[in-house]
Amino acid sequence: MAILKFSDMTAMELQFQVEKLQSNYVECIDDDRLEQWPEFFVEDCLYQIISRENEDRGLPVSAIVCDSNAMLIDRIVSLRNANVYAEHFYRHIISNVNIKGVTDEVVSVQTNYLVLQTRLSGATEIYNSGKYLDEIVATEDGLKFKQKKAVFDTYQIQSLMVTPI
Amino acid sequence: MSTILKNKFNEVNWPEDRGVCEVPYQVFTDKNVYDSEQEKIFRGDNWSFVALEAEIPESGDYKTTFIGDTPVIVMRDEEGQVNVVVNSCAHRGAAVCRELRGNKPNLECVYHQWAYNLKGDLIGVPFRRGIQGNGGMPKDFKMQEHPLRKLRVGSVAGLVFATFSETVESLEDYLGPMTVTAIKRICSKPIKVLGDQRQYIKGNWKLYAENTRDPYHASLLHLFHMTFGLYRSSQKGVSHMDDTKRHSMLTAIKDSDDSTEDFKNMRSFNTEFKLNDPSLLAGRKEFDDDVSLVILAVFPNLVLQQIANTLAVRQICTKGVDAFELVWTQFGFEDDDKEMQAIRLKQGNLIGPAGLISMEDGEAVEIVHDSVIREQDKSSYIAMGGGKAENVDHLVSEGTIVGFWKYYREAMGY
């Protein structure tokens, strides 16, 4: 497959492609296909979940920060085989997919997200709300995240965080 | 409520001493016990951790936090002194400070704009002398008689503590030599705050006090190292307490593993998995000893930790009998180079609410709390290592938990 060139695309085409990527990404997590989750990122990537409380102060501590695709895989291997937590489902609601900048190689996008969590009791709660600050690149395998930074408003994490946002 | 019923709920039926430690589940779920703890422990003769000095370096810097569930303000005045006051206006009780942190030349209650200086003294009351002969405060009203409630403040190596008590010993005496030495070992240089994480755990705060004094669970609940073949089975370390047994220090030595035999039957012991990116665990030796893990649990509300190169304080803020917030503040040092800070941040993946080796602690608290709700006449059974509050030079013990309960009973009069 030929590599897409962002500058050759119309604004509508680009918007469509980016929204499609976001939809596929959250579906992968919500449908518990976490083994496929790292495939949404390039090898040399940055995945970061950071509270708004820290982000606004310019402080770097993050709930999760991975600076390689291999670290994403390790997270999932750990989640499946090592970590102990209450079973749950996520449901991501995304909105306001807003392209902020385009170069030949990178699209910068800000997107709102809401993660609802359902535990085995059957009750659904708002678990995490925030925004994605993404940098998307085109590869032979389609669009991928060079960076995905989830800045969350819900800076009081309920119980624990194990599943990626 | 009838007197009989009231007495019933105020009593805690501690099992007769059978030579091990048995803790009645009632103390985790009884609201009367919780209310009593606020008075006898958090507002009683103990020192509670409230801040790192590095969080409020400048004059006028403040942060709001809690001692137990009492809201307090920690602030630095013009002379560089750190002061702690209850966050409740002397007029009609409103919160004087509503932000998490910031900088102000003085404090002003939004309700009627009563103003206080950075020591907590009242310096301004609007319409104090009335308007055009109307209203005003009584003639004998004296501002100096209406400060915010001031707490005693102490600090050791950049960790700030406060107490409601006029009678409790000095902070250093309260902490004792073991705790002071351990704090000074970790906080030997000016601290640089790297950020906070807040974890809301739906369980009683004492279940976390137990958890952080419990070396027994470390390799059994937290399976990350085991799963990736990184364990360290009969790791050498110590489980020590101060003289009063209220503070506990668990330490482990790096690479002191000498046998894998005992762990062969554990549910996750295999080396099927390898870390794809071992840079997660890349670290740098930064202390003069080989201690790679310190969990210093300071009664009643602090854990100071060193896990590899991650340094953090964890502050317990109680939120009723059945919940608490755990505030993790990760830090490094002012003189960290870029690489050192990067190491601390990457290893940060191990700790906090999403920490690969720490997330389970919140879970452990909740699965206990939820299951003992109606087991009020039952007790736990704490006996690993003999069930005595004794210092041991290994980690196959629950003696430090026993020590916690020994002091707790003294403090509560149970």
Side-chain angles (χ1 to χ4, degrees), chain B residues 380-405:
Chain B
S380 59
Y381 187 87
I382 303 169
M384 181 55 63
K388 298 275 185 292
E390 290 167 354
N391 291 350
V392 293
D393 291 338
H394 60 77
L395 296 168
V396 200
S397 168
E398 291 180 308
T400 39
I401 304 178
V402 180
F404 171 86
W405 290 112

Side-chain angles (χ1 to χ4, degrees), chain A residues 53 57 65 68 74 159, chain B residues 101 196 199 276-277 349 366:
Chain A
E53 182 187 3
R57 288 184 291 162
V65 56
S68 72
D74 289 337
S159 303
Chain B
R101 55 179 73 78
D196 298 278
Q199 183 174 12
N276 285 279
D277 187 346
N349 284 293
E366 293 184 1

Side-chain angles (χ1 to χ4, degrees), chain A residues 14 17 19 21 42 50 54 70 78 101 109 122 126 142 148:
Chain A
L14 191 58
Q17 294 285 351
E19 291 199 10
L21 176 69
V42 296
I50 184 168
N54 288 343
S78 182
V109 190
I126 293 174
K148 187 174 256 307

Side-chain angles (χ1 to χ4, degrees), chain A residues 132-159:
Chain A
Y132 290 129
L133 299 174
D134 298 335
E135 290 190 1
I136 297 168
V137 294
T139 73
E140 286 180 357
D141 302 319
L143 299 191
K144 294 197 185 230
F145 295 109
K146 166 85 178 154
Q147 172 192 296
K148 187 174 256 307
K149 184 169 173 180
V151 181
F152 59 97
D153 303 332
T154 318
Y155 57 83
Q156 183 183 70
I157 292 175
Q158 296 296 312
S159 303

